[in-house]
Amino acid sequence: MPAPTTATKGRKVLGRLSLPERNFVADALRTETLGGVLLLLAAIAALVWANSGVKESYESVRDFHLGPASLGLDLSVGHWAADGLLAVFFFVAGIELKRELVAGDLKDPRAAVLPVVAALCGMAVPALVYTLVGVTGGGSLAGWAVPTATDIAFALAVLAVIGTSLPSALRAFLLTLAVVDDLFAILIIAVFFTDDLDFAALGGAVVGLAVFWLLLRKGVRGWYVYVPLALVIWGLMYNSGIHATIAGVALGLMLRCTTHEDEAHSPGEHIEHLVRPLSAGLAVPLFALFSAGVAVSGDAIGEVFTRPETLGVVLGLVVGKAVGIFGGTWLAARFTRAELSEDLAWPDVFAVASLAGIGFTVSLLIGELAFEGDEVLTDEVKAAVLTGSLIAAVLASVLLKVRNAKYRKLCEAEELDEDLDGIPDIYEQDNPEYHLRMADIYERKAAEHRRLAEVTAGASEENNGPA
């Protein structure tokens, strides 16, 4: 996603986005916000279903197996959601990352420093908080990675629900953090949650990726070529012992995200535009539906704050994320002598950092992997993810609403287009043609006011004349 930050002297932290980046962010936000609302509804539906009088039906559907056993793919519905549907989510994340690295603001290493440092600190500090709680309380350290992720769709859904007019620079900063989070989360999954490797299947997946890359470079077109090949690569990756979502990221990173002279959009951007609604509107909500269904009761919620594993997750999301991202941003700006945009204040950064504590989707996935085989603890950790994400959402909502009047003015300024040319006026201040158009508009308005004044004055003279 776009990186709205820069890290060199003379540049601004969280300054105004370039126009292409602003448009890209706006397009992405529309889909992600709708997907986030669907995600929120799916999570609520899962909780209601799993805690209703027909909870056995929820477990029955979630644990129902289907798929070709001969190919090692006889999986439960919940397993298909986690390994299959989330591969689509990570495919989109891979495209986003590739685009930013080769065509977006992140292609400049100096501009990439601050958001990357902020995101890394936003992962390291929650892991440290979890570890400290685990060591102090004598709990398992296996879940150290659970509170490290940010769920951008859920965060945007919260913004939509509370009606906060967050400026595009802050939204883009949140998106950038989420993309870097996704990248490192998938690396964590690949490195720390891979036990037994099937080198034959892994070799087949690598060969498939090489063929995919070669076909792209040769300019071969047609979904009927790439979709079946992608499914084969995914199946081989799953059977290799490496989490199958790795295949999604790898495929996304291979797409070309730079434009040629005869192209309005790169192939990567075009495919992302097609696949993002599938990811945000179907894949992620279905994963939430079959992962968020945990038993919730007064005793269960109380245990979240007493058991070291679950308390570590909650504190990691609520405290670790906010402190890590805010601290990383401040330190990066401090040591690179960058200045915060004059339109914003450091409390704004802390509010967004708090919002990043919503770690729903990937946190649930890592929780399942970290405590695989312990169904009770897995459900308790899921409850902790839900609790921590809810607390982070409430805290961020309060902090953002305090500044919402300021945000609304910034958003109105970003959207103002008085000359109706489709480009916000704030991006045309150095364009002489814009000022000529505005001068003509003001002159026509002044002429209309003069005409109305003359008509009013004439009517007044007639009324004051002799009867």
Side-chain angles (χ1 to χ4, degrees):
M1 281 311 198
T5 55
T6 52
T8 56
K9 188 176 181 179
R11 296 183 179 182
K12 298 292 184 181
V13 176
L14 297 176
R16 187 187 310 151
L17 298 173
S18 63
L19 184 58
E21 293 301 302
R22 175 192 174 278
N23 293 337
F24 184 84
V25 168
D27 290 340
L29 287 176
R30 278 190 287 270
T31 303
E32 290 290 354
T33 300
L34 176 59
V37 173
L38 293 175
L39 172 63
L40 183 60
L41 293 175
I44 294 173
L47 288 170
V48 172
W49 192 2
N51 290 275
S52 66
V54 292
K55 63 180 181 181
E56 292 80 8
S57 64
Y58 175 82
E59 296 172 355
S60 177
V61 173
R62 183 192 61 194
D63 299 334
F64 180 77
H65 277 64
L66 68 159
S70 59
L71 299 178
L73 297 175
D74 181 20
L75 310 177
S76 68
V77 171
H79 208 161
W80 276 110
D83 286 74
L85 292 178
L86 280 193
V88 179
F89 167 79
F90 281 109
F91 174 69
V92 173
I95 299 175
E96 292 172 345
L97 180 64
K98 176 69 173 292
R99 179 193 172 277
E100 284 309 305
L101 290 174
V102 301
D105 287 348
L106 285 180
K107 68 181 180 181
D108 181 357
R110 297 172 301 173
V113 169
L114 191 142
V116 170
V117 169
L120 288 176
C121 290
M123 298 185 78
V125 176
L128 179 60
V129 169
Y130 178 95
T131 302
L132 289 175
V133 173
V135 170
T136 303
S140 170
L141 301 183
W144 64 270
V146 174
T148 60
T150 293
D151 193 313
I152 182 59
F154 215 132
L156 291 175
V158 170
L159 292 177
V161 170
I162 66 176
T164 299
S165 304
L166 203 62
S168 59
L170 287 177
R171 288 177 180 259
F173 182 57
L174 182 61
L175 292 172
T176 306
L177 293 173
V179 169
V180 178
D181 263 8
D182 291 340
L183 172 65
F184 284 98
I186 204 66
L187 290 176
I188 288 172
I189 291 172
V191 174
F192 294 99
F193 298 103
T194 298
D195 296 325
D196 300 322
L197 282 178
D198 184 328
F199 288 99
L202 180 59
V206 172
V207 171
L209 288 170
V211 173
F212 190 91
W213 180 85
L214 184 61
L215 291 174
L216 288 172
R217 293 302 173 270
K218 293 295 183 180
V220 176
R221 297 178 179 271
W223 65 268
Y224 47 83
V225 174
Y226 292 102
V227 172
L229 179 56
L231 292 174
V232 170
I233 293 170
W234 176 87
L236 289 169
M237 189 69 75
Y238 175 82
N239 282 286
S240 73
I242 296 177
H243 201 270
T245 50
I246 301 293
V249 174
L251 292 170
L253 288 172
M254 287 186 176
L255 294 178
R256 176 168 61 83
C257 292
T258 53
T259 56
H260 292 164
E261 291 184 1
D262 58 340
E263 294 178 332
H265 302 284
S266 68
E269 289 177 297
H270 177 67
I271 293 173
E272 180 187 9
H273 181 72
L274 294 175
V275 178
R276 183 186 286 278
L278 175 64
S279 170
L282 181 65
V284 175
L286 281 178
F287 168 76
L289 181 63
F290 294 110
S291 293
V294 295
V296 177
S297 64
D299 292 339
I301 295 175
E303 290 178 359
V304 165
F305 297 96
T306 57
R307 185 159 184 164
E309 293 89 351
T310 52
L311 180 61
V313 169
V314 172
L315 292 179
L317 289 172
V318 177
V319 178
K321 272 290 182 182
V323 173
I325 292 174
F326 179 82
T329 304
W330 186 86
L331 288 173
R334 172 72 176 80
F335 286 103
T336 57
R337 292 182 291 179
E339 297 178 358
L340 187 66
S341 171
E342 58 273 7
D343 293 329
L344 300 172
W346 283 109
D348 299 320
V349 180
F350 186 81
V352 172
S354 300
L355 190 63
I358 301 174
F360 189 77
T361 303
V362 180
S363 291
L364 289 177
L365 174 62
I366 295 178
E368 291 181 354
L369 297 173
F371 299 103
E372 189 175 9
D374 189 338
E375 187 174 343
V376 173
L377 186 53
T378 298
D379 283 349
E380 290 177 349
V381 168
K382 286 183 178 181
V385 170
L386 295 174
T387 303
S389 297
L390 178 61
I391 295 173
V394 172
L395 174 61
S397 298
V398 173
L399 295 175
L400 291 171
K401 290 297 278 186
V402 170
R403 294 270 291 170
N404 197 41
K406 174 68 173 179
Y407 297 153
R408 190 180 298 112
K409 291 181 180 178
L410 292 175
C411 289
E412 290 173 354
E414 290 178 358
E415 298 296 331
L416 185 63
D417 182 20
E418 286 191 291
D419 60 345
L420 303 177
D421 66 343
I423 301 175
D425 296 342
I426 200 169
Y427 288 97
E428 298 191 281
Q429 297 305 308
D430 296 329
N431 183 2
E433 293 181 0
Y434 160 76
H435 292 287
L436 291 174
R437 288 195 299 271
M438 291 306 301
D440 181 59
I441 291 172
Y442 289 142
E443 178 57 35
R444 282 189 275 114
K445 286 183 178 180
E448 180 64 16
H449 284 305
R450 285 193 295 269
R451 186 188 69 79
L452 291 175
E454 291 172 358
V455 170
T456 302
S460 177
E461 290 176 0
E462 290 181 1
N463 291 334
N464 293 330

